[in-house]
């Protein structure tokens, strides 16, 4: 348990250091956005909390390991065995301690062990150079010699055991010193871990508090804007979008074409309060190319290509003396989110989509008059659904190398394909997400594709 606690503690400390060193824009992802629609938390704060908890858990496991019973001296069983064995003469006889020279078997053993021979010439018994008068005397001498051998063997074994015991005691002492040093190091580590965990919790709380203040300020700033400007009687109504920054794209839960998440800082600009209507298009261009003309002048113009949209912006600029254009992809997503971090401008609750957008569940497979659905915070209608909206950018398969200033991104893209945003009346909710992006050829015309105009302040 102590080892497991130390591992968890080490992971927690390393994780805290790594997370604290992370850049906020890198750490922010869809996980934080899904917490709520104003995003009071980000991935960085969640990581801080996770690793801080890991530090505390690891410290508790490590501390519980110190309270375990001390390790038994490994020499004690050997010492007990030596005390139990006693002398070799009492334990090592081939006859279980029955060294009785009256036993024929023991006599035969002694005769063979010491090569007792009988000298028939002298009628005496011989062991080596020693001569004995009779058999009892030679057997008694052989028994004494065998006892001495057993005693010598026991002494040598006891000496060897003592040497081994001493070696083990020295090894045990070194191990105890090392364990004591490790324990002190772990105690210091635990104190540091608890301190870091406390710092992490405080830092996380302060960060969440600061971010909540910033988010509330951003929300109020977006609500206080939304001033509507109209440059001519037939011109689209334009909403003032405040300058600011946001995290564009979606994290690991999104599509690869929506990654990586990157921070974009934009100046203020104007964006159409609604999609360009059939009536507004006719007033500028003199015709109505829409496939669904029966919907009426207040319905979005559709069946227009990207090239058609460029011509509309040019003629509108000539009429008003202002510079109208298609919004960049970054401007479109920034305005759609309107300071939020959810999947849609209103958050992550898909059930609310039916009051904000015309899509496959409620559109009856056709367009509807603009401005009927609930607007986002800044007052922009139909940012989700009704018709796809052309933006200025060339198509790129992901955001690697994307611009960070909000301008249209053309370098490295495919000019034969242009980006559309927002989804349309025939699409499912996932295609209406603020981060969702698709593309068509610039000459493409279809009954679900229109535009929303932008201009510089």
């Amino acid at each position: 348990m102590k080892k497991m606690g130390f591992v968890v503690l080490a992971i927690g400390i390393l994780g805290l250091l790594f997370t604290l060193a992370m850049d906020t824009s890198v750490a922010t992802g869809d996980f934080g956005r899904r917490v709520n629609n104003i995003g009071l938390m980000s991935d960085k704060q969640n990581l801080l909390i996770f690793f801080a908890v890991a530090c505390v858990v690891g410290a508790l496991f490590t501390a519980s390991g110190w309270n375990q019973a001390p390790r038994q001296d490994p020499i004690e069983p050997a010492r007990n065995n030596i005390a139990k064995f006693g002398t070799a003469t009492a334990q090592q006889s081939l006859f279980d301690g029955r060294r009785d020279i009256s036993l024929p078997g023991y006599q035969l053993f002694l005769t063979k062990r010491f090569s007792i021979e009988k000298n028939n010439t002298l009628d005496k018994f011989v062991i080596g150079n020693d001569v004995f008068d009779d058999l009892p005397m030679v057997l008694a001498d052989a028994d004494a010699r065998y006892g001495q051998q057993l005693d010598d063997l026991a002494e040598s074994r006891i000496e060897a055991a003592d040497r081994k015991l001493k070696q083990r005691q020295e090894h045990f002492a070194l191990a105890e010193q090392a364990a004591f040093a490790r324990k002190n190091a772990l105690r210091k580590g635990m104190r540091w871990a608890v301190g870091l965990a406390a710092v992490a919790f405080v830092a996380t709380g302060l960060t969440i508090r600061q971010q909540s203040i910033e988010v509330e300020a951003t929300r109020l700033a977006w609500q206080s804007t939304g001033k509507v400007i109209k440059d001519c009687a037939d011109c689209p109504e334009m909403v003032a979008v405040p300058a600011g920054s946001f995290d564009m794209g979606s994290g690991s839960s999104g599509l690869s074409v929506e990654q990586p998440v990157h921070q974009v800082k934009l100046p203020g600009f104007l964006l159409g309060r609604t999609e360009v209507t059939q009536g507004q298009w006719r007033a500028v261009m003199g015709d109505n190319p829409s496939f669904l003309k029966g919907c009426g002048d207040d319905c979005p113009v559709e069946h227009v290509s990207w090239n058609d949209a460029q011509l509309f912006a040019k003629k509108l600029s000539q009429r008003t003396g202002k510079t109208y254009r298609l919004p960049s992809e970054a401007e479109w997503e920034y305005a759609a989110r309107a300071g939020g971090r959810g999947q849609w401008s209103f958050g992550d609750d898909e059930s609310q989509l039916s009051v904000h957008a015309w899509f496959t569940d409620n559109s009856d497979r056709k367009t509807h008059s603009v401005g009927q659905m609930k607007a986002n915070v800044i007052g922009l209608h139909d940012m989700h659904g009704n018709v796809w909206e052309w933006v200025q950018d060339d198509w790129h398969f992901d955001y690697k190398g994307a611009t960070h200033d909000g301008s249209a991104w053309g370098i490295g893209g495919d000019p034969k394909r242009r980006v559309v945003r927002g989804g349309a009346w025939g699409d499912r909710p996932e295609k209406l997400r603020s981060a969702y992006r698709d593309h068509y050829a610039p000459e493409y015309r279809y009954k679900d594709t229109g535009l929303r105009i932008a201009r510089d302040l």
Side-chain angles (χ1 to χ4, degrees):
M1 183 175 290
K2 183 165 64 177
K3 290 183 178 179
M4 181 179 70
F6 180 75
V7 171
V8 174
L9 182 61
I11 292 174
I13 294 174
L14 292 175
L16 281 175
L17 295 176
F18 175 76
T19 306
L20 290 172
M22 287 175 66
D23 181 72
T24 303
S25 64
V26 175
T28 304
D30 271 359
F31 181 82
R33 296 191 185 100
R34 289 195 298 271
V35 175
N36 53 49
N37 63 332
I38 61 172
L40 290 182
M41 299 185 68
S42 69
D43 281 348
K44 184 169 183 177
Q45 283 97 56
N46 284 281
L47 287 173
L48 283 172
I49 293 174
F50 174 79
F51 287 119
V53 172
C55 285
V56 174
V57 173
L60 292 175
F61 273 111
T62 304
S64 66
W66 288 334
N67 294 328
Q68 295 174 357
R71 192 176 70 172
Q72 182 183 13
D73 184 351
I75 308 304
E76 191 64 27
R79 187 182 294 114
N80 294 336
N81 288 337
I82 292 173
K84 182 177 69 175
F85 287 156
T87 62
T89 54
Q91 299 294 326
Q92 299 184 28
S93 171
L94 292 175
F95 301 95
D96 298 326
R98 295 177 296 157
R99 285 174 46 206
D100 186 351
I101 59 176
S102 64
L103 297 174
Y106 186 54
Q107 292 176 8
L108 179 61
F109 166 76
L110 293 175
T111 299
K112 291 182 177 181
R113 183 175 184 85
F114 295 103
S115 301
I116 299 175
E117 297 179 355
K118 182 178 181 181
N119 190 322
N120 293 324
T121 303
L122 300 175
D123 194 23
K124 294 183 182 295
F125 294 89
V126 178
I127 298 179
N129 295 325
D130 297 327
V131 181
F132 300 89
D133 292 334
D134 53 31
L135 182 60
M137 292 180 62
V138 73
L139 289 175
D141 184 77
D143 178 60
R145 294 187 185 199
Y146 181 55
Q148 185 61 47
Q149 288 179 355
L150 292 178
D151 288 341
D152 292 343
L153 179 61
E155 289 296 328
S156 65
R157 290 182 175 179
I158 291 174
E159 290 176 359
D162 286 339
R163 288 195 298 272
K164 192 172 183 179
L165 175 63
K166 185 176 180 181
Q167 292 174 353
R168 290 186 177 180
Q169 287 175 330
E170 291 174 353
H171 176 75
F172 181 73
L174 292 175
E176 286 295 309
Q177 292 176 2
F180 183 75
R182 287 196 301 270
K183 186 181 294 186
N184 284 338
L186 286 173
R187 284 174 176 167
K188 291 180 180 179
M190 188 182 70
R191 287 195 291 268
W192 274 99
V194 172
L196 283 173
V199 170
F201 277 122
V202 172
T204 301
L206 292 176
T207 303
I208 294 173
R209 173 61 178 166
Q210 180 63 29
Q211 191 172 30
S212 66
I213 294 174
E214 293 175 357
V215 168
E216 180 64 15
T218 301
R219 186 181 66 82
L220 293 175
W222 278 88
Q223 287 181 339
S224 64
T225 58
K227 179 182 178 182
V228 178
I229 297 173
K230 194 171 182 177
D231 292 326
C232 66
D234 297 321
C235 291
E237 291 183 336
M238 308 297 290
V239 174
V241 180
S245 61
F246 80 113
D247 292 329
M248 184 174 180
S250 59
S252 58
S253 63
L255 302 176
S256 60
V257 296
E258 303 164 6
Q259 300 171 11
V261 175
H262 58 289
Q263 192 172 69
V264 181
K265 186 175 182 179
L266 306 92
F269 60 98
L270 297 176
L271 188 65
R273 187 177 70 87
T274 67
E275 296 151 334
V276 174
T277 67
Q278 296 182 26
Q280 292 166 348
W281 183 278
R282 184 186 297 107
V284 174
M285 304 294 290
D287 64 354
N288 181 8
S290 299
F291 184 84
L292 300 171
K293 292 183 177 67
C295 183
D297 284 352
D298 290 334
C299 291
V301 65
E302 26 79 15
H303 204 255
V304 293
S305 68
W306 183 87
N307 295 327
D308 297 334
Q310 297 295 319
L311 185 58
F312 175 83
K314 181 179 179 180
K315 289 191 173 183
L316 186 60
S317 298
Q318 292 172 346
R319 171 179 288 198
T320 62
K322 307 292 184 180
T323 304
Y324 282 86
R325 55 180 173 80
L326 288 179
S328 70
E329 190 174 8
E331 287 175 331
W332 190 97
E333 184 171 331
Y334 176 64
R337 292 187 181 279
R341 297 185 178 183
Q343 295 188 69
W344 299 279
S345 61
F346 52 85
D348 292 321
D349 186 0
E350 186 177 318
S351 66
Q352 296 296 312
L353 194 59
S354 60
V355 299
H356 288 83
W358 295 109
F359 64 113
T360 186
D361 288 358
N362 62 1
S363 69
D364 196 25
R365 306 292 296 174
K366 62 182 180 181
T367 57
H368 293 263
S369 298
V370 300
Q372 294 186 65
M373 288 296 181
K374 188 174 181 179
N376 68 3
V377 171
I378 200 174
L380 298 173
H381 294 267
D382 303 308
M383 291 299 285
H384 310 295
N386 218 2
V387 292
W388 286 99
E389 300 175 14
W390 289 108
V391 296
Q392 185 66 29
D393 304 49
D394 292 349
W395 171 255
H396 296 75
F397 284 98
D398 54 39
Y399 286 139
K400 294 176 182 177
T403 60
H404 293 268
D405 59 1
S407 60
W409 185 22
I411 298 175
D414 183 359
K416 294 183 179 180
R417 288 183 285 186
R418 299 289 180 165
V419 180
V420 290
R421 287 298 203 114
W425 48 263
D427 291 314
R428 301 296 303 163
E430 57 268 18
K431 288 192 174 183
L432 275 62
R433 293 182 296 110
S434 299
Y436 190 87
R437 52 199 300 263
D438 207 338
H439 59 86
Y440 296 133
E443 64 275 9
Y444 174 89
R445 295 184 179 94
Y446 195 61
K447 60 184 178 181
D448 69 349
T449 308
L451 74 153
R452 185 185 301 263
I453 205 71
R455 86 163 172 83
D456 300 329
L457 286 172

mmCIF file of all heavy atoms in Angstrom, residues 28-60:
data_model
loop_
_atom_site.group_PDB
_atom_site.id
_atom_site.type_symbol
_atom_site.label_atom_id
_atom_site.label_comp_id
_atom_site.label_asym_id
_atom_site.label_seq_id
_atom_site.Cartn_x
_atom_site.Cartn_y
_atom_site.Cartn_z
ATOM 1 N N THR A 28 -7.710 24.713 -22.708
ATOM 2 C CA THR A 28 -9.151 24.866 -22.865
ATOM 3 C C THR A 28 -9.667 23.974 -23.973
ATOM 4 O O THR A 28 -9.097 23.911 -25.030
ATOM 5 C CB THR A 28 -9.497 26.323 -23.175
ATOM 6 O OG1 THR A 28 -8.967 27.143 -22.154
ATOM 7 C CG2 THR A 28 -11.009 26.520 -23.253
ATOM 8 N N GLY A 29 -10.765 23.259 -23.736
ATOM 9 C CA GLY A 29 -11.335 22.376 -24.747
ATOM 10 C C GLY A 29 -12.816 22.217 -24.548
ATOM 11 O O GLY A 29 -13.445 22.925 -23.765
ATOM 12 N N ASP A 30 -13.391 21.283 -25.256
ATOM 13 C CA ASP A 30 -14.830 21.067 -25.173
ATOM 14 C C ASP A 30 -15.272 20.580 -23.808
ATOM 15 O O ASP A 30 -16.410 20.776 -23.414
ATOM 16 C CB ASP A 30 -15.257 20.036 -26.223
ATOM 17 C CG ASP A 30 -15.589 20.728 -27.548
ATOM 18 O OD1 ASP A 30 -15.495 21.966 -27.591
ATOM 19 O OD2 ASP A 30 -15.937 20.022 -28.497
ATOM 20 N N PHE A 31 -14.354 19.926 -23.054
ATOM 21 C CA PHE A 31 -14.753 19.433 -21.729
ATOM 22 C C PHE A 31 -15.227 20.596 -20.862
ATOM 23 O O PHE A 31 -16.278 20.528 -20.223
ATOM 24 C CB PHE A 31 -13.578 18.724 -21.060
ATOM 25 C CG PHE A 31 -13.918 18.169 -19.706
ATOM 26 C CD1 PHE A 31 -14.559 16.945 -19.607
ATOM 27 C CD2 PHE A 31 -13.626 18.865 -18.549
ATOM 28 C CE1 PHE A 31 -14.885 16.428 -18.371
ATOM 29 C CE2 PHE A 31 -13.945 18.349 -17.317
ATOM 30 C CZ PHE A 31 -14.572 17.128 -17.234
ATOM 31 N N GLY A 32 -14.440 21.681 -20.869
ATOM 32 C CA GLY A 32 -14.848 22.851 -20.098
ATOM 33 C C GLY A 32 -16.098 23.477 -20.647
ATOM 34 O O GLY A 32 -16.932 23.968 -19.909
ATOM 35 N N ARG A 33 -16.234 23.441 -21.979
ATOM 36 C CA ARG A 33 -17.419 24.058 -22.574
ATOM 37 C C ARG A 33 -18.683 23.318 -22.204
ATOM 38 O O ARG A 33 -19.764 23.887 -22.168
ATOM 39 C CB ARG A 33 -17.264 24.103 -24.094
ATOM 40 C CG ARG A 33 -16.111 24.975 -24.561
ATOM 41 C CD ARG A 33 -16.174 25.196 -26.072
ATOM 42 N NE ARG A 33 -15.002 25.932 -26.509
ATOM 43 C CZ ARG A 33 -13.957 25.375 -27.057
ATOM 44 N NH1 ARG A 33 -13.936 24.072 -27.219
ATOM 45 N NH2 ARG A 33 -12.921 26.088 -27.439
ATOM 46 N N ARG A 34 -18.586 22.025 -21.989
ATOM 47 C CA ARG A 34 -19.780 21.257 -21.698
ATOM 48 C C ARG A 34 -20.248 21.421 -20.256
ATOM 49 O O ARG A 34 -21.316 20.942 -19.909
ATOM 50 C CB ARG A 34 -19.522 19.765 -21.980
ATOM 51 C CG ARG A 34 -19.412 19.454 -23.459
ATOM 52 C CD ARG A 34 -19.531 17.968 -23.698
ATOM 53 N NE ARG A 34 -18.473 17.237 -23.047
ATOM 54 C CZ ARG A 34 -17.297 16.982 -23.616
ATOM 55 N NH1 ARG A 34 -17.043 17.403 -24.834
ATOM 56 N NH2 ARG A 34 -16.381 16.305 -22.962
ATOM 57 N N VAL A 35 -19.436 22.062 -19.394
ATOM 58 C CA VAL A 35 -19.843 22.218 -17.998
ATOM 59 C C VAL A 35 -21.104 23.069 -17.911
ATOM 60 O O VAL A 35 -22.075 22.725 -17.273
ATOM 61 C CB VAL A 35 -18.705 22.851 -17.177
ATOM 62 C CG1 VAL A 35 -19.177 23.124 -15.759
ATOM 63 C CG2 VAL A 35 -17.521 21.896 -17.140
ATOM 64 N N ASN A 36 -21.092 24.189 -18.600
ATOM 65 C CA ASN A 36 -22.299 25.008 -18.733
ATOM 66 C C ASN A 36 -22.096 25.981 -19.872
ATOM 67 O O ASN A 36 -21.017 26.082 -20.452
ATOM 68 C CB ASN A 36 -22.632 25.755 -17.424
ATOM 69 C CG ASN A 36 -21.441 26.548 -16.901
ATOM 70 O OD1 ASN A 36 -20.825 27.284 -17.657
ATOM 71 N ND2 ASN A 36 -21.129 26.392 -15.641
ATOM 72 N N ASN A 37 -23.147 26.694 -20.198
ATOM 73 C CA ASN A 37 -23.085 27.484 -21.423
ATOM 74 C C ASN A 37 -22.218 28.722 -21.307
ATOM 75 O O ASN A 37 -21.895 29.336 -22.317
ATOM 76 C CB ASN A 37 -24.493 27.890 -21.868
ATOM 77 C CG ASN A 37 -25.177 28.779 -20.839
ATOM 78 O OD1 ASN A 37 -24.886 28.700 -19.669
ATOM 79 N ND2 ASN A 37 -26.092 29.621 -21.305
ATOM 80 N N ILE A 38 -21.831 29.152 -20.095
ATOM 81 C CA ILE A 38 -20.914 30.273 -19.999
ATOM 82 C C ILE A 38 -19.528 29.814 -19.610
ATOM 83 O O ILE A 38 -18.623 30.608 -19.504
ATOM 84 C CB ILE A 38 -21.418 31.326 -18.983
ATOM 85 C CG1 ILE A 38 -21.549 30.728 -17.572
ATOM 86 C CG2 ILE A 38 -22.731 31.911 -19.421
ATOM 87 C CD1 ILE A 38 -21.864 31.773 -16.525
ATOM 88 N N GLY A 39 -19.337 28.508 -19.368
ATOM 89 C CA GLY A 39 -18.011 27.928 -19.212
ATOM 90 C C GLY A 39 -17.265 28.408 -17.995
ATOM 91 O O GLY A 39 -16.192 28.986 -18.102
ATOM 92 N N LEU A 40 -17.793 28.192 -16.798
ATOM 93 C CA LEU A 40 -17.094 28.626 -15.591
ATOM 94 C C LEU A 40 -15.840 27.819 -15.313
ATOM 95 O O LEU A 40 -15.036 28.184 -14.491
ATOM 96 C CB LEU A 40 -18.030 28.532 -14.380
ATOM 97 C CG LEU A 40 -19.170 29.550 -14.351
ATOM 98 C CD1 LEU A 40 -19.973 29.365 -13.079
ATOM 99 C CD2 LEU A 40 -18.643 30.959 -14.441
ATOM 100 N N MET A 41 -15.712 26.686 -15.962
ATOM 101 C CA MET A 41 -14.532 25.850 -15.727
ATOM 102 C C MET A 41 -13.936 25.452 -17.069
ATOM 103 O O MET A 41 -14.607 25.376 -18.076
ATOM 104 C CB MET A 41 -14.888 24.601 -14.924
ATOM 105 C CG MET A 41 -15.444 24.904 -13.557
ATOM 106 S SD MET A 41 -15.725 23.411 -12.601
ATOM 107 C CE MET A 41 -14.070 22.861 -12.317
ATOM 108 N N SER A 42 -12.638 25.170 -17.072
ATOM 109 C CA SER A 42 -11.956 24.703 -18.272
ATOM 110 C C SER A 42 -11.230 23.424 -17.943
ATOM 111 O O SER A 42 -11.175 22.987 -16.800
ATOM 112 C CB SER A 42 -10.958 25.763 -18.752
ATOM 113 O OG SER A 42 -9.885 25.867 -17.825
ATOM 114 N N ASP A 43 -10.628 22.819 -18.974
ATOM 115 C CA ASP A 43 -9.866 21.596 -18.745
ATOM 116 C C ASP A 43 -8.738 21.819 -17.758
ATOM 117 O O ASP A 43 -8.395 20.941 -16.983
ATOM 118 C CB ASP A 43 -9.282 21.097 -20.069
ATOM 119 C CG ASP A 43 -10.339 20.376 -20.893
ATOM 120 O OD1 ASP A 43 -11.401 20.086 -20.321
ATOM 121 O OD2 ASP A 43 -10.092 20.118 -22.074
ATOM 122 N N LYS A 44 -8.135 23.002 -17.757
ATOM 123 C CA LYS A 44 -7.006 23.247 -16.865
ATOM 124 C C LYS A 44 -7.430 23.173 -15.411
ATOM 125 O O LYS A 44 -6.759 22.540 -14.590
ATOM 126 C CB LYS A 44 -6.380 24.603 -17.172
ATOM 127 C CG LYS A 44 -5.135 24.870 -16.326
ATOM 128 C CD LYS A 44 -4.388 26.089 -16.821
ATOM 129 C CE LYS A 44 -3.095 26.291 -16.012
ATOM 130 N NZ LYS A 44 -2.319 27.423 -16.499
ATOM 131 N N GLN A 45 -8.562 23.778 -15.074
ATOM 132 C CA GLN A 45 -9.013 23.706 -13.678
ATOM 133 C C GLN A 45 -9.392 22.282 -13.286
ATOM 134 O O GLN A 45 -9.106 21.841 -12.164
ATOM 135 C CB GLN A 45 -10.223 24.631 -13.473
ATOM 136 C CG GLN A 45 -9.865 26.108 -13.377
ATOM 137 C CD GLN A 45 -10.038 26.791 -14.708
ATOM 138 O OE1 GLN A 45 -11.108 26.738 -15.284
ATOM 139 N NE2 GLN A 45 -9.002 27.445 -15.205
ATOM 140 N N ASN A 46 -10.023 21.555 -14.189
ATOM 141 C CA ASN A 46 -10.379 20.170 -13.885
ATOM 142 C C ASN A 46 -9.138 19.313 -13.683
ATOM 143 O O ASN A 46 -9.099 18.446 -12.805
ATOM 144 C CB ASN A 46 -11.256 19.604 -15.001
ATOM 145 C CG ASN A 46 -12.680 20.120 -14.938
ATOM 146 O OD1 ASN A 46 -13.485 19.645 -14.144
ATOM 147 N ND2 ASN A 46 -12.981 21.119 -15.749
ATOM 148 N N LEU A 47 -8.096 19.552 -14.478
ATOM 149 C CA LEU A 47 -6.845 18.815 -14.295
ATOM 150 C C LEU A 47 -6.205 19.170 -12.959
ATOM 151 O O LEU A 47 -5.661 18.301 -12.267
ATOM 152 C CB LEU A 47 -5.887 19.125 -15.441
ATOM 153 C CG LEU A 47 -6.241 18.490 -16.794
ATOM 154 C CD1 LEU A 47 -5.318 19.023 -17.878
ATOM 155 C CD2 LEU A 47 -6.139 16.972 -16.717
ATOM 156 N N LEU A 48 -6.234 20.458 -12.590
ATOM 157 C CA LEU A 48 -5.670 20.859 -11.303
ATOM 158 C C LEU A 48 -6.378 20.142 -10.163
ATOM 159 O O LEU A 48 -5.739 19.627 -9.234
ATOM 160 C CB LEU A 48 -5.784 22.374 -11.141
ATOM 161 C CG LEU A 48 -4.784 23.235 -11.918
ATOM 162 C CD1 LEU A 48 -5.156 24.702 -11.800
ATOM 163 C CD2 LEU A 48 -3.371 23.004 -11.410
ATOM 164 N N ILE A 49 -7.704 20.103 -10.212
ATOM 165 C CA ILE A 49 -8.462 19.425 -9.159
ATOM 166 C C ILE A 49 -8.130 17.945 -9.132
ATOM 167 O O ILE A 49 -7.893 17.348 -8.071
ATOM 168 C CB ILE A 49 -9.972 19.639 -9.373
ATOM 169 C CG1 ILE A 49 -10.328 21.124 -9.171
ATOM 170 C CG2 ILE A 49 -10.783 18.761 -8.420
ATOM 171 C CD1 ILE A 49 -11.765 21.459 -9.500
ATOM 172 N N PHE A 50 -8.079 17.320 -10.299
ATOM 173 C CA PHE A 50 -7.799 15.878 -10.374
ATOM 174 C C PHE A 50 -6.446 15.544 -9.754
ATOM 175 O O PHE A 50 -6.330 14.632 -8.919
ATOM 176 C CB PHE A 50 -7.840 15.423 -11.838
ATOM 177 C CG PHE A 50 -7.435 13.996 -12.038
ATOM 178 C CD1 PHE A 50 -8.332 12.965 -11.779
ATOM 179 C CD2 PHE A 50 -6.163 13.682 -12.462
ATOM 180 C CE1 PHE A 50 -7.960 11.652 -11.947
ATOM 181 C CE2 PHE A 50 -5.775 12.367 -12.638
ATOM 182 C CZ PHE A 50 -6.682 11.351 -12.380
ATOM 183 N N PHE A 51 -5.392 16.273 -10.150
ATOM 184 C CA PHE A 51 -4.061 15.947 -9.653
ATOM 185 C C PHE A 51 -3.903 16.351 -8.186
ATOM 186 O O PHE A 51 -3.134 15.731 -7.444
ATOM 187 C CB PHE A 51 -2.999 16.620 -10.516
ATOM 188 C CG PHE A 51 -2.837 15.978 -11.872
ATOM 189 C CD1 PHE A 51 -3.065 16.686 -13.038
ATOM 190 C CD2 PHE A 51 -2.476 14.643 -11.976
ATOM 191 C CE1 PHE A 51 -2.923 16.095 -14.274
ATOM 192 C CE2 PHE A 51 -2.337 14.035 -13.210
ATOM 193 C CZ PHE A 51 -2.557 14.749 -14.362
ATOM 194 N N ALA A 52 -4.607 17.385 -7.753
ATOM 195 C CA ALA A 52 -4.566 17.735 -6.332
ATOM 196 C C ALA A 52 -5.180 16.621 -5.490
ATOM 197 O O ALA A 52 -4.651 16.238 -4.435
ATOM 198 C CB ALA A 52 -5.306 19.054 -6.096
ATOM 199 N N VAL A 53 -6.308 16.079 -5.936
ATOM 200 C CA VAL A 53 -6.923 14.943 -5.245
ATOM 201 C C VAL A 53 -5.986 13.744 -5.248
ATOM 202 O O VAL A 53 -5.860 13.021 -4.255
ATOM 203 C CB VAL A 53 -8.276 14.588 -5.896
ATOM 204 C CG1 VAL A 53 -8.822 13.289 -5.320
ATOM 205 C CG2 VAL A 53 -9.277 15.710 -5.675
ATOM 206 N N ALA A 54 -5.283 13.528 -6.381
ATOM 207 C CA ALA A 54 -4.323 12.424 -6.457
ATOM 208 C C ALA A 54 -3.222 12.593 -5.421
ATOM 209 O O ALA A 54 -2.781 11.619 -4.790
ATOM 210 C CB ALA A 54 -3.731 12.335 -7.863
ATOM 211 N N CYS A 55 -2.763 13.828 -5.227
ATOM 212 C CA CYS A 55 -1.733 14.088 -4.203
ATOM 213 C C CYS A 55 -2.236 13.717 -2.816
ATOM 214 O O CYS A 55 -1.531 13.077 -2.028
ATOM 215 C CB CYS A 55 -1.321 15.557 -4.241
ATOM 216 S SG CYS A 55 -0.253 16.001 -5.619
ATOM 217 N N VAL A 56 -3.450 14.138 -2.503
ATOM 218 C CA VAL A 56 -4.008 13.853 -1.181
ATOM 219 C C VAL A 56 -4.190 12.350 -0.978
ATOM 220 O O VAL A 56 -3.814 11.786 0.057
ATOM 221 C CB VAL A 56 -5.352 14.592 -1.003
ATOM 222 C CG1 VAL A 56 -6.006 14.183 0.307
ATOM 223 C CG2 VAL A 56 -5.128 16.095 -1.019
ATOM 224 N N VAL A 57 -4.757 11.658 -1.974
ATOM 225 C CA VAL A 57 -4.965 10.207 -1.874
ATOM 226 C C VAL A 57 -3.640 9.487 -1.731
ATOM 227 O O VAL A 57 -3.476 8.583 -0.897
ATOM 228 C CB VAL A 57 -5.740 9.692 -3.101
ATOM 229 C CG1 VAL A 57 -5.798 8.168 -3.092
ATOM 230 C CG2 VAL A 57 -7.145 10.253 -3.115
ATOM 231 N N GLY A 58 -2.650 9.888 -2.556
ATOM 232 C CA GLY A 58 -1.336 9.260 -2.465
ATOM 233 C C GLY A 58 -0.691 9.484 -1.113
ATOM 234 O O GLY A 58 -0.064 8.585 -0.538
ATOM 235 N N ALA A 59 -0.845 10.699 -0.571
ATOM 236 C CA ALA A 59 -0.278 10.985 0.746
ATOM 237 C C ALA A 59 -0.942 10.129 1.830
ATOM 238 O O ALA A 59 -0.275 9.616 2.734
ATOM 239 C CB ALA A 59 -0.451 12.472 1.065
ATOM 240 N N LEU A 60 -2.264 9.943 1.737
ATOM 241 C CA LEU A 60 -2.969 9.120 2.727
ATOM 242 C C LEU A 60 -2.539 7.666 2.652
ATOM 243 O O LEU A 60 -2.296 7.016 3.677
ATOM 244 C CB LEU A 60 -4.482 9.239 2.511
ATOM 245 C CG LEU A 60 -5.101 10.611 2.819
ATOM 246 C CD1 LEU A 60 -6.578 10.615 2.453
ATOM 247 C CD2 LEU A 60 -4.920 10.957 4.294
#
